[in-house]
Every structure is written in C-alpha cells, then in structure tokens.
Amino acid sequence: MQTVCLIGKPNVGKSSIFNRLIKEKKAIILDTPGVTRDRIYGIVNYKDKKFHLIDTGGILLGDDNFDQDIIAQAELAIDEADIILFVVDGISDIDAADLHVSELLHKTNKKVIVVANKIDNENRNDNIYNFYELGFSTIMPVSAEHNLGFKELLDLVTEDMEMVEETHDETIKFCLIGRPNVGKSSIVNALLNEERTIVSDIAGTTRDAVDTKFKYNGNLYTVIDTAGMRKKGKVYENIEKYSLVRSLKAIDRSNVCVVVIDASEGIIEHDKHIAHYALEAGKALVIAVNKWDTIKNPDVEIKKWKLLIENEFQFLPYVNTVFLSAKTKKRMATLMPEVIKAYENWNKEIKTSVLNDIIMEAVSIHEPPSYKGKRLKIYFVRQTDMRPPKFTFQVNNKNLVHFSYKRYLENKIRENIDLTGTPIIIQFKNKSED
C-alpha cells in the first residue's frame, strides 16, 4: 500500500481531516491508564483501494523551536510518503510557516496536493486562489467540520493507485517493534544465527522493513524487522513518535508483535505507546527486554523488572515477558516459545458449552450489580470470531453492563482458559437484536 501524509502548521485541521478520511477503524476499546491515545496512523479504504495515512498533528510546537519542528515534521512526511497532503487554513493568509513547508516540499519529486481546509461555503471558494502562491498546481477545498470535499479529494489521491491484492502467506508472521536503537535488528540476527535455516529475504511492502523466512523446530516462520530512523540529526531523532510509523506498518502485516525494551534505559512512555498500537490492532503480544547483559545482579533485578512491567503495562496483564541479550545470545531461546504460544492463543477456538459453563459459574459467584432496580441477565455466550478471540454475550439489556463487571467476566474467562499473549474482545447484544 502507498503512504499518504498530512503535514502543515498546527491548528489548520490536520487531525480533523485525518478522522474524516479513516472513518472507523476496527479497534479494541479498553481502559488503558497511562497511555496517550492520540492516533497518528490509520488505513483508508476507498473504492477497493487502500492506503496508509499518517497525521503529523501530534507534534507540540514551542515558541523556541517553532521553525525547526515545522521543518522536522515536513522532512518526516516527505521521507515516508508517496503522496503529501499539505494542509493550510483556507480562511487565513499564507504565513512564514506555510512557506517553510512549501520550500521543503519543492525539493522533492513527491506528489503534493494542497488541501485548503475550512472552505464550507461558496463565498469562501475564491480563497483557494491565494494558495497558488505556494507553487503547487493542485489545490483542493474541503471542510473537515462539515464533511465537504472529501470524495473529490479521495478520487484525486487514489487516481493512480492500484488495487491492493491480499497475499496468502500461511507462515506465522511476527514483528519486532520498539524505539530506535533498542536492538530489534540484533534480536533478528541472533534468532537467525541460532541454528536456524534462512529460507529467503524478501523486501517488505513498506520502507525499511525486511521479511525473513526461517525454520524453527521444523516449522516455517516470517520475522519482520523494522529499521530505525534513517536520517541523522537531533531534531529528527528526538521526535520519537515517528519511529511508530514504521512499527505500525509492520504491525499491520503481523500476527504477533514483540515489543522490544532496552534494559539499560528502562521503560519510557513511548514504549507503552508502541505497545498500545499493537493492542489496538488486535495483535498477539510478547514483551522482550533486550540488553539484559548490561544488568548487574540479574537474578535480583529480574524480580524488580517484572514488578515494573506489571505496573507500567497494566493494560497488558496477560502478556508474558522475556529477558534476553541479542549481543551475547543468552536467553534467546526463551523468545520463540512465547511467540508461538501467543499466536496459538490468538487463534484459539473455545467450545460454546465450555464458555457457558464458565460464565454461569462466574454469575453464580458474583451476580451483576443492579441499576435503578434493573439487573443484567446473561442468557448465552459464544465465540463469534478469532485472531483475536471475540466473545458475544446475549443479554436482556446491554446498557446495564458496567465496565467493572465486563472486566470481571474477562478475568473469569482467562482464569479458566489459557489466553496468554492475546487480547480478547467482549461484546454484548440484546436478545432482541438476534
């Protein structure tokens, strides 16, 4: 799939345009304390065509480094994108920030479409002619607030795109995701050098990703390695959010995501941010703490680390952690069994009778709380999907489901069935809906 980036100065409506374009994305909605939920990446489906969409609106710009951050986000967008949507405020004059971005875009041969936002009536249509001063031939008026102009914009964006054909590679695919320089590539190299047979290296469908097929215990697997940042320079490297871009493309193609953490640096917010995207995509997960060779007294520290991960990744209590060193190859043997277990659980099918026995017992132990004299009744539950497992409860009134009771039911399912490494989706339907 091709990649389209939204760039421009703050407060021109990039995020609103982003939300209009991605519409709804299948996501697992969970309470995730401590994780920032601003989405910067999505997949757009339009007339049998698909493309990746990146929003650069998440960068906070301070007064001291305004210009360098504008330049940085433009460079990042240029670097990743096949097509760039240069968003401007359609009811304001061109300013220095707009000119900065346009100068950078003129240095590339990427396709650039100027998107003039806030054009919501005919009287404002003439405003778009002001933006020809930026030097681009294509200017599209839209209004994110009133959902105007997006069909025309999407027609233009996708006119040269080919339909994306689904591939049918039956191997288990897992990716290494994480911040730059946490040792993702080193882990891949250590895996492949550990008495494995490398079948082939195939250039991935995204920049800087390589799919490597290899054999482990006689079975074929595909590991997707995402390279770190290409360019050098403090500004570019410090905007860590953009290491997400490559990670997210790899997540999209994977069954299992291994979130790699640097033991020498500890856990930072960005690690949780990356893990959350894998969760939101509904993928199986494993946490790998790399550079374990840098830890003194590892037997003592592993207990502290397990407690730290439990506290920092409260939204992933079902995910196992491995501690390893790609450099020395110690404990590398712990990784693949966890990847396989997470994958198998992600694909697990549970008998309806078993599920109902678990839920009926759970209800008998702790019945749902009443609300305004009414109480939730659960009639039936069955598994309605997999990858990840999805459970649908037939109830009298789904509005009576309290989030704490939903969590209780999930915990009861997990207590009785091994679902280590996989998220699960629980939904409630009224009996009348069937």
Side-chain angles (χ1 to χ4, degrees), residues 9-20:
K9 65 189 179 187
N11 304 317
V12 292
K14 295 188 298 298
S15 295
S16 298
I17 290 172
F18 176 84
N19 290 334
R20 287 290 186 191

Side-chain angles (χ1 to χ4, degrees), residues 340-393:
I340 293 165
K341 181 194 290 185
Y343 175 79
E344 288 175 347
N345 290 338
W346 189 62
N347 278 279
K348 186 167 283 186
E349 290 187 74
I350 302 159
K351 287 183 178 179
T352 301
S353 59
V354 173
L355 265 178
N356 281 276
D357 286 346
I358 293 168
I359 297 306
M360 291 307 110
E361 183 182 355
V363 171
S364 68
I365 294 170
H366 174 40
E367 65 178 358
S370 62
Y371 177 71
K372 292 184 178 180
K374 296 180 180 179
R375 193 183 301 276
L376 177 74
K377 289 182 181 179
I378 299 172
Y379 301 117
F380 189 74
V381 58
R382 69 181 188 273
Q383 185 173 349
T384 51
D385 207 350
M386 49 196 284
R387 303 168 69 106
K390 180 178 181 180
F391 306 109
T392 300
F393 287 70

Side-chain angles (χ1 to χ4, degrees), residues 5 14 20-21 36 118 127 208 224 234 241 252 311 314 325 335 350 374 425 431:
C5 284
K14 295 188 298 298
R20 287 290 186 191
L21 290 172
T36 307
K118 306 179 186 178
N127 292 10
D208 287 339
I224 302 170
K234 289 183 179 179
K241 182 173 281 190
D252 184 47
N311 290 331
Q314 291 180 27
S325 169
L335 179 58
I350 302 159
K374 296 180 180 179
I425 301 171
K431 194 173 183 179

Side-chain angles (χ1 to χ4, degrees), residues 280-324:
E280 191 174 55
K283 305 298 183 177
L285 287 119
V286 176
I287 296 172
V289 180
N290 189 28
K291 305 185 185 179
W292 197 241
D293 57 291
T294 64
I295 300 297
K296 295 178 180 178
N297 302 319
D299 292 337
V300 175
E301 290 298 315
I302 200 167
K303 294 178 182 177
K304 295 180 181 177
W305 264 91
K306 285 180 178 178
L307 185 61
L308 178 65
I309 287 169
E310 187 179 325
N311 290 331
E312 293 293 331
F313 291 92
Q314 291 180 27
F315 57 99
L316 297 174
Y318 52 84
V319 174
N320 281 352
T321 303
V322 295
F323 301 85
L324 50 83

